[in-house]
Amino acid sequence: REFEAEIRFYSGDDPLDVWERYIKWTEQTFPGGGKDGNLTAVLERAVRALHGQQRYYKDPRYLNLWLKFGDCCNEPLDLYSYLCSQEIGTTLALLYITWAEALEARGSFRKADLIFQEGLQRKAEPLDKLQAHHKQFQARVSRQTLLALEENADGDNMGLLEIAEPQRSSLADLKGRGKKKVRAPISRVGDAVK
């Protein structure tokens, strides 16, 4: 109630501070989430209340609100695209790192790399953190690619070996001998083996 009253009657110059404290309090008080905490609703109200205030577009606190809200969404990739189109957080490395990790989790390695490249091109801050995450991403993808190649190579070799060696079928039909009365040979020694 105190936070709700503070938000309703706020007259200071940084309304984001109140929302940020409210969200932190909600996360700490209701760590499991649920209906009591209603974190998703609070986050949604916060981003709506601060929407259009361009002074916050480069503020890490504002981007954090959006990213937490994205964690609550069914489709966070759409949210990241929206943030980029609105230029919200595009100067911050955290946007590109979070976006690329979401793409990587879905197996979209190329798109994830493109997102990292875009962040590096925009020189998102802190740049060294973005570069470190990009290198770690590249190492993970390289490792997965090598493992996949090894598995395919092993599988292909097995396939070639199986094809190269003729397979012997057990209890196969015996070929008959003779012109008038066809009989299968009983003993396979000598000429019958040939």
Side-chain angles (χ1 to χ4, degrees), residues 41-181:
V42 175
L43 286 165
E44 186 176 354
R45 286 178 51 217
V47 295
R48 282 187 183 186
L50 300 168
H51 183 70
Q53 295 193 24
Q54 292 192 358
R55 64 183 172 146
Y56 290 129
Y57 283 17
K58 295 178 181 179
D59 192 324
R61 300 174 303 161
Y62 187 55
L63 178 62
N64 238 353
L65 290 182
W66 277 102
L67 296 179
K68 286 179 183 180
F69 181 61
D71 290 342
C72 300
C73 293
N74 293 335
E75 197 52 56
L77 296 179
D78 292 340
L79 180 96
Y80 304 138
S81 298
Y82 171 76
L83 292 175
C84 195
S85 70
Q86 297 295 310
E87 296 289 321
I88 297 172
T90 54
T91 60
L92 302 168
L94 186 60
L95 172 64
Y96 302 102
I97 292 167
T98 308
W99 194 352
E101 285 175 350
L103 286 166
E104 181 184 1
R106 293 172 182 229
S108 300
F109 302 120
R110 259 175 224 246
K111 287 181 182 177
D113 190 55
L114 289 173
I115 295 301
F116 273 121
Q117 295 296 334
E118 185 178 339
L120 292 168
Q121 195 172 23
R122 290 185 182 218
K123 295 184 182 355
E125 290 296 322
L127 190 59
D128 55 337
K129 182 178 180 181
L130 183 62
Q131 289 169 334
H133 276 271
H134 188 225
K135 285 179 183 173
Q136 291 169 358
F137 163 76
Q138 288 175 325
R140 284 192 303 272
V141 170
S142 298
R143 196 174 313 117
Q144 286 178 349
T145 305
L146 286 173
L147 287 173
L149 286 173
E150 285 176 6
E151 286 176 12
N152 282 345
D154 291 347
D156 289 348
N157 287 345
M158 288 301 286
L160 292 173
L161 288 173
E162 288 171 4
I163 293 168
E165 287 184 27
Q167 295 294 314
R168 178 176 174 234
S169 58
S170 59
L171 301 175
D173 293 337
L174 296 174
K175 293 182 182 176
R177 295 180 71 193
K179 290 186 180 180
K180 288 186 181 180
K181 216 175 187 183

Side-chain angles (χ1 to χ4, degrees), residues 26-27 30-39:
T26 305
E27 289 173 332
F30 306 100
K35 291 183 178 181
D36 295 335
N38 216 5
L39 180 63

